Amino acid sequence: MKAEIITIGDEILLGQIVDTNSAWIAQELFAQQIQIQQITSITDQESHILEALHDAASRADIIICTGGLGPTKDDVTKYTAAKYFNTTLVHNPEVMEHVQQIFHRFGRTMPEINKGQAEVLAIADVLFNDWGTAPGMWVEKDGKVYVFLPGVPFEMKNLMTYRVLPKLRDYKTEEKVVNKYILTVGVGESHLAEHIAEIEDQFPPHIHLAYLPKIGLVRLRLTATGTNLDKLEEEAEGWKDKLVDRIGNAVVATEDVSFEEVIVQAFAERGKTLATAESCTGGNIARLITEIPGSSKMFQGAVVAYANEVKMHVLGVQEETLIAHGAVSEETVIQMAKGVQQKLNVDYAIATSGIAGPDGGSAEKPVGTVWVAIAGPNEVKTKLFHFHHDRLINIERTTAQALLLLWNLFQQESEF
């Protein structure tokens, strides 16, 4: 069974918001063996909505639309849908009462404009929105299912979880899909592809491998398609094991997780703790770690030591070191890492200092010069990097390399 997602809203195309709805919906649908055929973003214009609905119906069995169900004049989705289905909008007393109760609950008077939210497609099953005023709608026509949802993410997720997904469980699909994941770090996409080419060449036609690179890592997604789910699971697992054996130590996970999740879990399992002393990364490493549930078991804290005064007075970097070698130096990051390690009493510490750009560089230390230090229980590892002139990419690259250096030292010391 194929599905298509249509996100409606000028704000998406203008880049004012990021379409996170589609990614979430796609993941939830795949869990029910419903594959996404296409994702389309369009403006709040009647002609665009009509065209998108028509095109989606030619490709997919399930069409899910988000956005344009609010009370303002630019929200035209349901009026356009009425024209597409050649039907009318009708007043729904239950929706009206629900909208009124929401305003009453917050002690507010309901504006006249919100009465329009009780107007729904005459041919639709109403999907009551427990967390907002705009109801969702479910329409079945010509063998297709159309679902209209509000664009507000938490409202959309609630409606999908409790209204839409339970109804979709009744729709069975013959074609099954199995995905297996391998997370690798420290090896480039091209080198990885060359290393496993022999295995990839042996894949049967229904097995495919996708390379999903990011800075510092490559995620492999092995996809098997067919009709026998148990057989596909067994076959995909076998090919995954062959790839893992060939790749070796660069593999850090065989499930769909982030590198930060791998680090948090490994540290927590072995009872090790971590802290960061960040200059050029500005707390980005700490942010990534603390976004992971369970990070409190292993992460103690961070010092964003941007100014030299903070490096000296908080982390204990010696003034003589800064004068003789500068803030961006091996000597400084070593003292930063040892300083936060001692101050927060942790097993491991990361320190970063560099010139992120676009200015601040010199002939000796151009923009993109970065030093990273990792302090462990037994030693301190350092590395110098020469990145480019893009500030955000420099921060991202420094973060990725710092996590890789941390992982390598952690693995090395865990062997003893």
Side-chain angles (χ1 to χ4, degrees):
M1 182 167 287
K2 307 293 185 182
E4 184 157 332
I5 301 170
I6 302 172
T7 59
I8 303 169
D10 294 344
E11 63 276 11
I12 297 173
L13 297 176
L14 290 172
Q16 294 174 319
I17 66 169
V18 176
D19 173 27
T20 58
N21 285 349
S22 294
W24 188 88
I25 293 171
Q27 290 175 341
E28 294 299 313
L29 292 180
F30 182 77
Q32 294 193 187
Q33 287 293 316
I34 299 173
Q35 299 179 58
I36 297 299
Q37 190 74 4
Q38 184 165 314
I39 298 173
T40 305
S41 293
I42 58 174
T43 64
D44 295 290
Q45 291 186 27
E46 179 181 289
S47 61
H48 290 175
I49 297 172
L50 290 172
E51 181 180 358
L53 288 170
H54 178 269
D55 291 346
S58 70
R59 292 184 292 257
D61 308 294
I62 301 168
I63 298 96
I64 298 179
C65 301
T66 66
L69 298 182
T72 56
K73 291 182 178 180
D74 62 329
D75 293 311
V76 300
T77 297
K78 62 184 177 183
Y79 304 101
T80 306
K83 181 177 291 189
Y84 176 78
F85 293 118
N86 194 26
T87 187
T88 60
L89 294 174
V90 296
H91 180 80
N92 188 300
E94 292 178 271
V95 175
M96 186 74 264
E97 182 180 357
H98 172 72
V99 175
Q100 289 173 332
Q101 286 178 351
I102 289 178
F103 279 93
H104 178 72
R105 191 186 313 149
F106 290 99
R108 298 175 181 174
T109 302
M110 187 182 78
E112 192 72 19
I113 194 174
N114 284 91
K115 291 183 178 180
Q117 293 187 288
E119 302 294 317
V120 297
L121 294 168
I123 61 172
D125 292 337
V126 175
L127 306 173
F128 281 93
N129 184 352
D130 298 317
W131 290 9
T133 59
M137 291 175 289
W138 173 290
V139 176
E140 296 185 28
K141 188 173 183 181
D142 299 330
K144 308 288 183 179
V145 172
Y146 300 81
V147 180
F148 297 90
L149 301 172
V152 180
F154 71 87
E155 293 185 28
M156 178 279 297
K157 289 179 180 179
N158 182 268
L159 280 166
M160 278 291 297
T161 301
Y162 297 105
R163 302 283 189 257
V164 178
L165 292 175
K167 289 170 73 72
L168 288 177
R169 291 191 184 103
D170 295 332
Y171 290 79
K172 305 300 181 183
T173 178
E174 289 298 319
E175 186 177 56
K176 307 297 182 183
V177 180
V178 170
N179 284 333
K180 299 293 180 179
Y181 294 90
I182 302 171
L183 181 62
T184 70
V185 297
V187 57
E189 180 183 10
S190 298
H191 287 93
L192 182 61
E194 287 182 352
H195 193 52
I196 62 176
E198 179 188 352
I199 296 175
E200 193 172 359
D201 289 341
Q202 298 173 29
F203 287 167
H206 63 285
I207 302 286
H208 302 279
L209 189 65
Y211 294 76
L212 311 171
K214 284 181 61 177
I215 292 175
L217 61 84
V218 179
R219 188 185 311 279
L220 298 176
R221 185 185 67 237
L222 184 75
T223 300
T225 57
T227 57
N228 188 319
L229 188 59
D230 291 336
K231 183 178 179 181
L232 289 175
E233 280 281 354
E234 182 180 353
E235 190 175 11
E237 189 71 22
W239 285 111
K240 185 193 75 173
D241 290 343
K242 289 182 179 180
L243 290 169
V244 170
D245 289 343
R246 176 63 60 87
I247 297 168
N249 292 334
V251 175
V252 297
T254 55
E255 53 187 325
D256 191 15
V257 296
S258 68
F259 190 25
E260 295 79 36
E261 288 178 276
V262 173
I263 291 171
V264 167
Q265 183 177 349
F267 269 62
E269 287 177 352
R270 298 179 190 176
K272 301 301 181 181
T273 52
L274 173 68
T276 64
E278 302 182 55
S279 184
C280 63
T281 47
N284 192 53
I285 300 171
R287 175 186 66 83
L288 290 175
I289 293 293
T290 55
E291 282 180 353
I292 307 303
S295 57
S296 59
K297 296 177 183 178
M298 50 75 69
F299 191 73
Q300 292 296 95
V303 175
V304 179
Y306 218 61
N308 285 348
E309 289 77 9
V310 179
K311 292 180 176 70
M312 289 188 293
H313 302 313
V314 178
L315 296 176
V317 176
Q318 297 176 4
E319 184 176 10
E320 293 81 4
T321 300
L322 292 168
I323 293 173
H325 304 284
V328 182
S329 64
E330 181 178 28
E331 292 79 5
T332 294
V333 289
I334 288 174
Q335 291 183 15
M336 289 172 64
K338 287 183 175 179
V340 77
Q341 184 184 37
Q342 294 168 4
K343 204 164 193 70
L344 299 187
N345 190 29
V346 294
D347 299 299
Y348 291 86
I350 300 173
T352 64
S353 188
I355 305 165
D359 50 25
S362 65
E364 182 183 352
K365 297 178 182 178
V367 169
T369 302
V370 174
W371 275 100
V372 175
I374 310 295
N378 303 312
E379 63 178 312
V380 179
K381 293 282 190 179
T382 63
K383 193 165 184 178
L384 171 65
F385 298 95
H386 294 288
F387 299 132
H388 299 293
H389 294 174
D390 186 287
R391 183 178 184 83
L392 295 181
I393 293 179
N394 287 342
I395 292 172
E396 190 175 351
R397 287 187 181 278
T398 303
T399 298
Q401 292 297 334
L403 291 174
L404 179 58
L405 286 172
L406 171 70
W407 179 255
N408 289 340
L409 182 58
F410 173 72
Q411 292 293 96
Q412 173 189 318
E413 297 195 337
S414 297
E415 293 175 358
F416 299 102

